[in-house]
Amino acid sequence: MPSLQVQLGARSYPIQIGSGILHDAQRFLPHLSAGAIAILSDDLVAPLYLPALRETLAHAQRPLVEIIVPHGEGSKSFARVEEVCGQMLAAGLGRDSTLCALGGGVIGDLGGFVAAIYQRGIPFLQIPTTLLAMVDSSVGGKTGINHPLGKNMIGAFYQPRAVIADVDTLDSLPEREFRSGLAEVIKYGLINDPGFFAWLEDHLDAILAEDSDALARIIHDSCADKAEVVARDELEGGLRAILNYGHTFGHAIEAATGYGTYLHGEAVAIGMVMAADLSRRLDLLRESEQARIFRLIQAAGLPTHAPRLPAEEYLRFMRIDKKAAGGQIRFILLRSIGESIITGDVPEAAVRQTLNAFME
Amino acid sequence: MPSLQVQLGARSYPIQIGSGILHDAQRFLPHLSAGAIAILSDDLVAPLYLPALRETLAHAQRPLVEIIVPHGEGSKSFARVEEVCGQMLAAGLGRDSTLCALGGGVIGDLGGFVAAIYQRGIPFLQIPTTLLAMVDSSVGGKTGINHPLGKNMIGAFYQPRAVIADVDTLDSLPEREFRSGLAEVIKYGLINDPGFFAWLEDHLDAILAEDSDALARIIHDSCADKAEVVARDELEGGLRAILNYGHTFGHAIEAATGYGTYLHGEAVAIGMVMAADLSRRLDLLRESEQARIFRLIQAAGLPTHAPRLPAEEYLRFMRIDKKAAGGQIRFILLRSIGESIITGDVPEAAVRQTLNAFME
């Protein structure tokens, strides 16, 4: 079973990936602190996987507290953080307890943030149950909640003790969410791993059939690629921006269409198609590589075109995107599959041409 | 003017101490981030010192947002954190902004915590205006708020970019609070700085007269002593516990008498007298040194005896104090002035004798 180590000095941690490892106590016990254990999950995931995790953690023979919050983005709130901390305090959890976050991105973000601030920080284990959480939130230490005035505006950089990704939990993931997660997987190939991109082209059928080995491979390589970028830029100084490939267009699509129309990965997929097109228009990327990118995203069952709106609508959201610096819209562009650059120097006319070319 | 550097690797920062430095822009400008500035203060401190700070920071020629919260422990709440973050978001403060916390311990704790979690962390400057905040919160990176189920249960270890302690702001501090801060100053001499303790004995008159140079010296030496302990134990593994000298008894006195009867430093003063007595009873500390400790605390105008209650009352609170590990009450005791040890191995009979000896 593949496992990898995220190298962050004293805060290094392993990501363990495999089929059925939710039942393997040896994956968990070495990473627990000396005290009690809290499991945080949501009302959709808990009925599916909490019984197995509870049984596995019983081998630790420590007090166990289960905290279930409603599923969905609404749980990333101050009120929910206070309530979860309250349940932990009421159960007498001390600084030597461990928090296990079992669920998708929301649970990872909320659980990581609670762990970061509970009694000034306790260890936490991340047990992601969606493809997006496995390949995105597993690496980078970003935790946080929303403020009524902005998404992900409150949070902390806080690393888990370990990530334990059991690919079997993806069985219950809706197909559309699985494909949305694939968009981020493809992104890692595009920004700095041409070999991985080629492997994805060759093994797309096995991936879409959710073959365990293929899943373990894409999760491993995605995390390794992201870890390499993050290790060089833990606190998001500069380089890490390449992880936003496809996101400048993608965020504008999400915003212009109203959040919820597209899943995040779907909007990113369209954004990646657009960013490849823009790269080609600026004579950075060859047409043949642009075509390969388009084909893989399309074959993965992801959308490639945004709804037809005046280009100005999208541009407006791109300008207020937080990545806009000094009025210039920042783009991550490709020189080739596997080689990305960050630039603010893009003629708006080219951006309009790209937008118009990829609206249906 | 004395200044010192807290050595914490990449998170090292200076503590600048002096008379009138609130007006000296050069103390502030090098520590500001590139973006806007937020000043957090409370409704008691803001009218006194915010105008001066505003004028000083105007030299930075950056947008300035002022956020005033009600004074007192009640502001260390989730609701207040959300509100302060909301004011910062509404003002458009980005990750490149700097938070300046102007006030006593509550403002430092709240401001540091907001800085730690706003957009996953922004730089902050601490501008303490009480003796306790200058000698205690300036070093250690402890930030946080209260939960309805426990004090300081939510927080983060987060270091400031700089601490700027203008001793002139102590002019407005009520005498009783000033003396309460002195208790912590004396503590530093007791736990690891015999030379400083002797200096305090020799210069108590100048200190109580609030002579600027004497104040700068006690703040400098207290911070240097605390920094030395913290540098060796940033995340509170073990050694740092000696900073709790006097606090095992002190917390029990605060709890048994109802919080608010004694100021924290007053309860710690009685606790230090008791811990010295207990050290002498256990043949660790010489009687002559115990007498010096008693005399200095008394001469500083601090209380030396707790209210008469059944000893069991105090013991009960000592047992549930968070420093109790495995049922044993942990004590910080003295071998001599300037040499402290941490022990759980203390006969309860001796503790009772000490309690009975120092109740009025």
Side-chain angles (χ1 to χ4, degrees), chain B residues 48-211:
Chain B
L48 297 171
Y49 304 115
L50 202 148
L53 181 59
R54 181 193 300 140
E55 197 176 313
T56 302
L57 291 175
H59 291 277
Q61 300 187 294
R62 291 178 207 174
L64 189 74
V65 182
E66 299 174 5
I67 301 169
I68 315 294
V69 301
H71 67 278
E73 194 77 13
S75 279
K76 286 176 61 174
S77 70
F78 273 103
R80 195 65 70 198
V81 169
E82 184 165 13
E83 186 197 303
V84 171
C85 290
Q87 290 189 51
M88 292 168 68
L89 286 170
L93 298 193
R95 281 176 56 182
D96 60 353
S97 51
T98 305
L99 180 68
C100 297
L102 173 71
V106 167
I107 290 298
D109 284 359
L110 172 65
F113 185 57
V114 167
I117 66 171
Y118 185 75
Q119 300 197 16
R120 297 198 189 94
I122 59 171
F124 96 106
L125 302 192
Q126 217 167 337
I127 306 148
T129 60
T130 67
L131 183 56
L132 184 58
M134 288 178 186
V135 302
D136 186 21
S137 330
S138 293
V139 182
K142 283 190 179 181
T143 72
I145 57 172
N146 301 323
H147 188 283
L149 297 181
K151 276 185 72 166
N152 293 319
M153 283 294 137
I154 305 300
F157 285 101
Y158 198 69
Q159 308 294 343
R161 280 276 184 98
V163 175
I164 295 151
D166 186 336
V167 298
D168 293 0
T169 62
L170 299 181
D171 291 350
S172 55
L173 192 68
E175 169 108 355
R176 192 178 160 201
E177 283 197 43
F178 178 79
R179 287 169 192 257
S180 173
L182 269 187
E184 299 279 348
V185 172
I186 293 168
K187 182 192 76 180
Y188 295 116
L190 288 175
I191 59 176
N192 71 343
D193 193 344
F196 183 44
F197 186 88
W199 190 90
L200 291 173
E201 292 178 311
D202 291 344
H203 297 82
L204 188 62
D205 289 346
I207 295 166
L208 292 176
E210 303 197 21
D211 169 80

Side-chain angles (χ1 to χ4, degrees), chain A residues 22-23 39 41-56 66 68 71 102-104 127-130 166 168-174 177:
Chain A
L22 195 58
H23 304 275
I39 302 177
S41 194
D42 70 36
D43 57 357
L44 288 186
V45 171
L48 297 171
Y49 304 115
L50 203 147
L53 181 59
R54 180 194 299 140
E55 198 177 310
T56 302
E66 298 173 7
I68 315 294
H71 68 279
L102 173 71
I127 305 149
T129 60
T130 67
D166 186 336
D168 293 359
T169 62
L170 300 181
D171 292 350
S172 56
L173 192 67
E177 283 198 43

Side-chain angles (χ1 to χ4, degrees), chain A residues 17-344:
Chain A
I17 305 153
S19 165
I21 61 178
L22 195 58
H23 304 275
D24 181 0
Q26 290 318 312
R27 303 279 185 162
F28 293 84
L29 300 193
H31 308 295
L32 298 173
S33 200
I37 302 168
I39 302 177
L40 177 73
S41 194
D42 70 36
D43 57 357
L44 288 186
V45 171
L48 297 171
Y49 304 115
L50 203 147
L53 181 59
R54 180 194 299 140
E55 198 177 310
T56 302
L57 291 174
H59 292 277
Q61 300 187 295
R62 293 178 203 171
L64 189 74
V65 182
E66 298 173 7
I67 301 169
I68 315 294
V69 301
H71 68 279
E73 194 77 13
S75 278
K76 287 176 61 174
S77 70
F78 273 103
R80 195 66 70 196
V81 169
E82 183 164 13
E83 186 198 304
V84 171
C85 290
Q87 290 189 51
M88 292 168 67
L89 287 168
L93 298 194
R95 280 177 56 180
D96 60 353
S97 52
T98 304
L99 180 68
C100 297
L102 173 71
V106 167
I107 290 298
D109 285 359
L110 172 65
F113 185 56
V114 166
I117 66 171
Y118 186 75
Q119 299 198 18
R120 297 199 190 94
I122 60 170
F124 95 107
L125 302 193
Q126 216 167 338
I127 305 149
T129 60
T130 67
L131 183 57
L132 184 58
M134 289 178 186
V135 301
D136 185 23
S137 331
S138 293
V139 181
K142 283 190 179 180
T143 72
I145 57 171
N146 301 323
H147 188 283
L149 296 182
K151 277 187 70 167
N152 292 318
M153 283 294 136
I154 305 300
F157 284 101
Y158 197 69
Q159 308 295 343
R161 282 276 184 98
V163 175
I164 295 152
D166 186 336
V167 297
D168 293 359
T169 62
L170 300 181
D171 292 350
S172 56
L173 192 67
E175 168 106 355
R176 192 178 160 201
E177 283 198 43
F178 179 78
R179 287 170 191 255
S180 173
L182 269 188
E184 300 279 348
V185 171
I186 294 169
K187 183 193 75 180
Y188 295 117
L190 288 175
I191 59 175
N192 71 344
D193 195 343
F196 182 44
F197 186 87
W199 190 91
L200 292 173
E201 291 179 311
D202 291 344
H203 297 81
L204 188 62
D205 290 346
I207 296 165
L208 292 177
E210 301 199 23
D211 170 78
S212 290
D213 290 341
L215 293 181
R217 166 78 189 259
I218 64 173
I219 295 161
H220 178 279
D221 284 18
S222 297
C223 291
D225 283 339
K226 182 167 183 183
E228 195 189 315
V229 175
V230 169
R232 285 188 278 160
D233 181 17
E234 189 179 354
L235 298 182
E236 233 176 0
L239 174 74
R240 194 160 165 167
I242 65 170
L243 297 171
N244 286 319
Y245 179 73
H247 285 62
T248 305
F249 286 109
H251 286 155
I253 293 166
E254 283 184 281
T257 57
Y259 287 91
T261 305
Y262 289 97
L263 293 177
H264 177 67
E266 293 171 337
V268 168
I270 303 168
M272 293 196 297
V273 166
M274 288 179 170
D277 181 75
L278 183 59
S279 303
R280 198 257 312 150
R281 278 178 204 279
L282 300 175
D283 286 330
L284 289 165
L285 184 70
R286 278 185 303 176
E287 196 160 346
S288 60
E289 297 213 308
Q290 184 198 355
R292 281 175 64 195
I293 296 168
F294 183 87
R295 275 198 304 271
L296 182 61
I297 290 172
Q298 192 176 45
L302 286 161
T304 53
H305 288 67
R308 186 151 296 276
L309 293 175
E312 188 53 35
E313 276 291 288
Y314 291 113
L315 277 165
R316 194 162 57 86
F317 284 107
M318 290 164 83
R319 288 193 201 101
I320 57 173
D321 193 83
K322 64 183 165 183
K323 284 181 292 304
Q328 276 195 320
I329 305 169
R330 265 170 86 202
F331 288 93
I332 319 302
L333 297 178
L334 300 178
R335 278 189 198 284
S336 65
I337 288 172
E339 191 191 351
S340 47
I341 60 162
I342 306 165
T343 179

